[in-house]
Amino acid sequence: MTLNVRILGLIILVGLFTVSSFIFDQMVIYSEDKIREKNFLYKRSFNNYLSSKNVMFTTRDLMTRIQVKKNFFEDRQSFLQDAVSVLFNDNLIKSTFDENVGKNYFKNLKTIFTSRYQTLGYDILKECDLAYSFFKGIQVRKFDLNIHEDEKTIKAIKGLNKINLENSLKTHDHFTKKLDIERKKILSVDYGISNIDEFYLIRKMYTDLLNYYFLHYGYLEKINDAHRVTFNFYFKESSRFLDEKSKHERQKNYFILFGVLSQILSLFFLIFLFKTLMFLANKKS
């Protein structure tokens, strides 16, 4: 290999690795842009995931509470109505209690159990007010459609937004407009139950009130189901963006490594080029 060919080869190698170093630097900048982009998308999806998770867990806890409270009120109503039914039935009283028990004793029992039975209605009303307070603590939000591009995803999110809004409004109306009507029915009942017919009338009112209370379980269930869908969707989406972010971070590290190696090789061949040129200059002199 002649000296001129060696110089030309060294110049080409220096230029090649210099250009490679520049290209890898640009790839690092590109990777950093992609990392920022994926990090933004990841945080946005993760926030949506957390929002759905919080609503889903809250509604699930409220649904469990509703079921437990309903069972409690039903058991309490069943016990009290059995007691009141016995106290208003002379035949059952004679077969159940001793003959020597005085009338005042049964009168006191009637007063105790009928008053407690009437208190049941007010307790259910208090539970309705408390359930509404719990509901107002739920974060009902509308998911942004502009962040999505896929038509199927947009259609699905739009449907979920509609479900959340409709059932949130139904629950709100359930405890505001409709509850006032149920409250007036209970408050219109005169204090004291003097006969079995009055007891049956009040029992129907309390049964209807308890069924009314349980209605919002279905509204919360639909909100819970909708957020379960968004929970799974945004969890997968945030995981995907996080994986893509990690991929670009690995690529960035590779580009930095290759860029540094290119600079070292460029400097290495540049030194050889200077040595060759110095050797050529000394030879001519």
Side-chain angles (χ1 to χ4, degrees), residues 71-88:
N71 293 338
F72 167 74
F73 283 127
E74 285 178 339
D75 292 342
R76 183 177 165 190
Q77 183 185 32
S78 177
F79 168 76
L80 289 174
Q81 72 183 17
D82 289 344
V84 173
S85 298
V86 171
L87 293 171
F88 277 108

Side-chain angles (χ1 to χ4, degrees), residues 62-72 214 217:
L62 290 180
M63 288 162 60
T64 302
R65 187 179 189 280
I66 293 166
Q67 187 65 66
V68 170
K69 284 291 183 179
K70 182 174 184 289
N71 293 338
F72 167 74
F214 192 68
Y217 181 96

Side-chain angles (χ1 to χ4, degrees), residues 140-244:
V140 180
R141 60 171 296 177
K142 180 180 179 182
F143 290 99
D144 189 6
L145 300 175
N146 297 325
I147 66 176
H148 303 290
E149 297 179 355
D150 182 65
E151 292 184 3
K152 291 183 179 179
T153 302
I154 293 175
K155 185 177 180 180
I157 298 297
K158 188 181 293 185
L160 295 173
N161 284 340
K162 183 179 179 182
I163 291 173
N164 288 331
L165 179 61
E166 286 181 352
N167 287 279
S168 297
L169 291 175
K170 286 179 181 178
T171 307
H172 175 76
D173 292 342
H174 178 77
F175 285 119
T176 52
K177 300 176 182 177
K178 296 179 182 178
L179 180 59
D180 288 338
I181 298 174
E182 300 297 326
R183 193 187 306 277
K184 289 177 182 178
K185 291 179 183 178
I186 302 302
L187 296 179
S188 65
V189 178
D190 293 333
Y191 185 79
I193 301 175
S194 58
N195 55 63
I196 194 68
D197 292 330
E198 289 182 359
F199 166 70
Y200 287 148
L201 180 64
I202 294 174
R203 184 179 67 175
K204 183 180 183 306
M205 289 184 179
Y206 287 2
T207 302
D208 292 342
L209 177 61
L210 196 55
N211 292 331
Y212 163 82
Y213 164 74
F214 192 68
L215 279 177
H216 75 290
Y217 181 96
Y219 305 145
L220 292 178
E221 186 176 29
K222 290 181 180 179
I223 295 175
N224 183 272
D225 290 340
H227 277 277
R228 185 181 292 112
V229 174
T230 53
F231 168 85
N232 291 326
F233 172 77
Y234 285 116
F235 175 77
K236 293 178 181 178
E237 190 177 63
S238 60
S239 298
R240 177 168 60 86
F241 289 137
L242 184 61
D243 290 340
E244 292 177 356

Side-chain angles (χ1 to χ4, degrees), residues 15-205:
L16 178 64
F17 286 109
T18 301
V19 172
S20 298
S21 175
F22 173 77
I23 292 174
F24 286 126
D25 287 343
Q26 294 302 309
M27 294 302 294
V28 169
I29 295 173
Y30 171 79
S31 297
E32 289 176 343
D33 290 339
K34 297 301 290 185
I35 290 171
R36 284 191 290 269
E37 176 189 349
K38 298 301 179 182
N39 188 53
F40 170 77
L41 295 173
Y42 161 72
K43 288 183 178 180
R44 185 174 64 184
S45 296
F46 189 73
N47 288 336
N48 288 331
Y49 153 75
L50 286 180
S51 175
S52 290
K53 177 183 175 182
N54 292 335
V55 173
M56 190 179 69
F57 285 2
T58 303
T59 51
R60 186 188 63 184
D61 291 342
L62 290 180
M63 288 162 60
T64 302
R65 187 179 189 280
I66 293 166
Q67 187 65 66
V68 170
K69 284 291 183 179
K70 182 174 184 289
N71 293 338
F72 167 74
F73 283 127
E74 285 178 339
D75 292 342
R76 183 177 165 190
Q77 183 185 32
S78 177
F79 168 76
L80 289 174
Q81 72 183 17
D82 289 344
V84 173
S85 298
V86 171
L87 293 171
F88 277 108
N89 190 316
D90 294 334
N91 294 327
L92 284 176
I93 289 177
K94 290 179 181 180
S95 62
T96 305
F97 296 94
D98 189 90
E99 295 180 356
N100 297 323
V101 178
K103 292 183 179 180
N104 288 333
Y105 177 77
F106 296 114
K107 184 178 180 181
N108 291 335
L109 284 180
K110 282 183 182 179
T111 302
I112 292 171
F113 282 101
T114 53
S115 62
R116 288 187 177 180
Y117 191 79
Q118 284 191 288
T119 304
L120 175 66
Y122 297 103
D123 290 342
I124 298 174
L125 287 175
K126 290 179 182 177
E127 175 58 28
C128 288
D129 293 332
L130 190 58
Y132 181 51
S133 297
F134 285 138
F135 167 75
K136 288 190 291 187
I138 297 177
Q139 179 190 13
V140 180
R141 60 171 296 177
K142 180 180 179 182
F143 290 99
D144 189 6
L145 300 175
N146 297 325
I147 66 176
H148 303 290
E149 297 179 355
D150 182 65
E151 292 184 3
K152 291 183 179 179
T153 302
I154 293 175
K155 185 177 180 180
I157 298 297
K158 188 181 293 185
L160 295 173
N161 284 340
K162 183 179 179 182
I163 291 173
N164 288 331
L165 179 61
E166 286 181 352
N167 287 279
S168 297
L169 291 175
K170 286 179 181 178
T171 307
H172 175 76
D173 292 342
H174 178 77
F175 285 119
T176 52
K177 300 176 182 177
K178 296 179 182 178
L179 180 59
D180 288 338
I181 298 174
E182 300 297 326
R183 193 187 306 277
K184 289 177 182 178
K185 291 179 183 178
I186 302 302
L187 296 179
S188 65
V189 178
D190 293 333
Y191 185 79
I193 301 175
S194 58
N195 55 63
I196 194 68
D197 292 330
E198 289 182 359
F199 166 70
Y200 287 148
L201 180 64
I202 294 174
R203 184 179 67 175
K204 183 180 183 306
M205 289 184 179

